Amino acid sequence: MNPFSSSQIRGTWATLLLPIREDDSIDWARLADEIDVLTASGAQGIYSNGTACEFYAQSEKEFDRVGSLLAEKCERASVPFQIGASHMSPQLSLERVRRAAQWKPAAIQVVLPDWYPVTNAEACDFLAKVAEVCAPIGLVLYNPPHAKRVLQPEDFGVLAQSVPSLLGVKVARSDAEWCGEFKRHAGRLSLFVPGNNLATGHGNGAHGSYSNVAALEPAGAARWNQLMELDIDAALGIERRIVQFMKGYILPFRERAGISNQGLDKLLAAVGGWADVGTRLRWPYRWVPTEDALALRPVARRLIPELFEH
């Protein structure tokens, strides 16, 4: 696959989620089946080894097998893909980037070194070295709200100016003021916002989402993305009900039981029922029991039927 430019990184991208057996190993057959569903979903692309794919809990051998499997299936289906090569260690992340480049993804995703917050100068140094290793493939920076350093629009402007190979970012904000400041400081970058707020972000100039809504229903998330181009008011109406479902039925698992973001993403996939992913996380993180997910299936279909129309 040819490397993407910033202007090509658009729309709803679906995440891989690791199917985990009871012995804490990866179920590779279920992962292969999951990728087949995603390549047929109509999503603009697929990415591996974000938070939901538990990149932090993979051995290097497992990382290579996940990336190779995704690349093989996406190339066969002519679906764009990105490889997440993140690690809390900058040295290990760099080695993951080096190996990920062999699969010729559209882009490579990374997080900033995460044991101690980096300065802007250190972030520039990190990204410049990573870009050198994976050239001509460009970079996407994932900056989640739990990062040690949550960057502001002016910080992204510094990185965009210093590292030409930086193509896009994934952030937690989608409001008009923040998106406007981002455009002023770092307008050449592709801006990806949370999936459940994509219609709002779209109206504020964002370009897409690495989407938790795609974790719930990838084909429905892709259709919703298309609707934003045709009828933004209708898309915003769906967003209000997506947010209602998230706040009323998904986020309480974090508030009551401390379930992590990756646990919530797997809960969404089990509610959607589009693939046999399961809710189990790798040790030591806790997950939501499958029966709780099954109980939410009719609730999701009642509140946001447009996602499940197929």
Side-chain angles (χ1 to χ4, degrees):
M1 178 168 294
N2 293 324
F4 272 22
S5 66
S6 178
S7 63
Q8 292 175 293
I9 301 177
R10 296 290 188 270
T12 290
W13 288 62
T15 180
L16 289 193
L17 304 100
L18 285 188
I20 302 299
R21 299 187 182 99
E22 290 187 8
D23 64 0
D24 212 42
S25 64
I26 298 170
D27 190 321
W28 298 102
R30 286 160 60 201
L31 182 62
D33 290 343
E34 176 192 341
I35 296 173
D36 289 339
V37 175
L38 291 176
T39 57
S41 70
Q44 275 66 45
I46 305 169
Y47 66 103
S48 68
N49 287 337
T51 302
C53 199
E54 301 176 77
F55 72 85
Y56 54 86
Q58 293 177 29
S59 70
E60 298 311 290
K61 183 177 180 180
E62 289 169 335
F63 170 85
D64 289 351
R65 188 169 177 182
V66 170
S68 177
L69 181 62
L70 178 65
E72 175 189 345
K73 285 185 168 290
C74 284
E75 290 285 1
R76 189 180 304 157
S78 298
V79 172
F81 68 98
Q82 295 182 35
I83 298 291
S86 298
H87 199 283
M88 293 70 67
S89 160
Q91 286 74 24
L92 290 180
S93 182
L94 186 66
E95 290 306 310
R96 286 186 171 190
V97 169
R98 196 187 306 276
R99 300 200 306 279
Q102 70 182 303
W103 299 309
K104 297 183 168 67
I108 292 176
Q109 299 177 12
V110 293
V111 296
L112 294 176
D114 202 52
W115 178 247
Y116 192 85
V118 293
T119 65
N120 280 353
E122 290 166 339
C124 288
D125 287 348
F126 170 74
L127 291 174
K129 182 65 174 178
V130 168
E132 177 186 331
V133 164
C134 66
I137 301 165
L139 301 175
V140 170
L141 176 61
Y142 176 28
N143 191 230
H146 57 272
K148 292 287 176 59
R149 174 97 191 276
V150 177
L151 302 178
Q152 299 306 313
E154 56 269 26
D155 301 316
F156 287 117
V158 171
L159 299 183
Q161 185 173 8
S162 177
V163 187
S165 294
L166 181 62
L167 305 180
V169 298
K170 176 183 179 179
V171 300
R173 298 284 294 274
S174 60
D175 56 280
E177 180 180 1
W178 198 95
C179 290
E181 283 295 296
F182 180 90
K183 185 175 181 180
R184 185 165 72 87
H185 288 282
R188 77 166 184 82
L189 299 181
S190 177
L191 175 61
F192 270 45
V193 299
N196 49 275
N197 295 124
L198 180 54
T200 293
H202 180 87
N204 291 331
H207 304 106
S209 177
Y210 300 111
S211 177
N212 59 345
V213 179
L216 175 63
E217 218 313 313
R223 291 194 303 271
W224 181 44
N225 194 114
Q226 294 170 352
L227 181 64
M228 293 170 204
E229 302 290 343
L230 304 173
D231 189 343
I232 189 62
D233 289 335
L236 285 166
I238 294 173
E239 179 183 295
R240 284 190 287 272
R241 288 180 277 115
I242 291 172
V243 171
Q244 179 186 352
F245 176 69
M246 297 290 188
K247 287 184 176 179
Y249 298 95
I250 301 300
L251 292 181
F253 285 99
R254 178 193 294 159
E255 296 157 3
R256 293 195 305 259
I259 298 298
S260 61
N261 284 348
Q262 54 270 38
L264 299 184
D265 286 335
K266 282 193 172 178
L267 168 61
L268 288 170
V271 171
W274 50 271
D276 183 15
V277 173
T279 60
R280 179 181 291 271
L281 296 175
R282 275 196 143 169
W283 172 86
Y285 292 97
R286 303 294 178 90
W287 60 89
V288 179
T290 301
E291 53 266 29
D292 288 344
L294 296 179
L296 290 179
R297 282 189 181 178
V299 178
R301 285 156 175 76
R302 173 175 54 81
L303 277 178
I304 35 179
E306 297 90 343
L307 296 184
F308 303 96
E309 285 176 346
H310 70 289

